[in-house]
Amino acid sequence: MPGTRKLGRTTSHRTAMLRALVTFLLENGKIETTDTRAKEVRSLTEKMITIAKTNDLHSRRLVLAFVTKEDVVNKLFNEIAPKYADRNGGYCRITKIGPRRGDAAEMSIIELI
């Protein structure tokens, strides 16, 4: 269930951080972040892709309410969602890359398959 991890932040800060991470992942295709953030971002990103697979005005407005850049929404509806039209979930891959040097936080790369 997405949104159950608090990630040490207030609700508004956590929501803004996750919206930014989902936007960056959809824009670039791959980001490097901590394990727990990656798990939250994966569930939210997969929900956005699933919504975008039904290409209508309502789904576009739902995605625009969460993703912060309009050109990323256009990329999601025109390029990313049609690529996964015949796939039922599992759009993201998380690869663990080991601890971060400064604070030994477990790091991961999350990418679109």
Side-chain angles (χ1 to χ4, degrees):
M1 184 172 173
T4 57
R5 295 179 182 92
K6 292 190 177 181
L7 301 174
R9 284 163 171 71
T10 60
T11 304
S12 58
H13 187 184
R14 181 174 58 248
T15 305
M17 178 189 65
L18 291 173
R19 287 177 67 188
L21 286 171
V22 169
T23 303
F24 296 148
L25 177 60
L26 292 173
E27 185 176 23
N28 300 321
K30 181 196 311 191
I31 56 173
E32 181 178 331
T33 184
T34 61
D35 280 346
T36 53
R37 285 183 190 172
K39 291 175 184 176
E40 285 293 312
V41 169
R42 174 179 54 189
S43 64
L44 293 170
T45 302
E46 290 190 359
K47 284 186 186 305
M48 292 299 121
I49 294 172
T50 302
I51 291 170
K53 284 167 66 173
T54 60
N55 192 359
D56 58 349
L57 181 62
H58 178 63
S59 60
R60 187 173 288 269
R61 285 180 177 169
L62 285 175
V63 173
L64 271 169
F66 192 79
V67 176
T68 58
K69 294 182 181 178
E70 192 171 343
D71 57 337
V72 175
V73 173
N74 290 332
K75 179 181 178 183
L76 174 63
F77 277 87
N78 296 332
E79 298 173 20
I80 298 172
K83 188 167 67 172
Y84 299 119
D86 57 342
R87 189 177 181 121
N88 295 324
Y91 313 120
C92 298
R93 174 188 301 138
I94 295 178
T95 308
K96 297 189 179 196
I97 57 172
R100 185 163 50 196
R101 184 157 188 238
D103 59 354
E106 287 296 323
M107 297 297 288
S108 294
I109 294 176
I110 180 169
E111 59 189 344
L112 295 173
I113 295 176

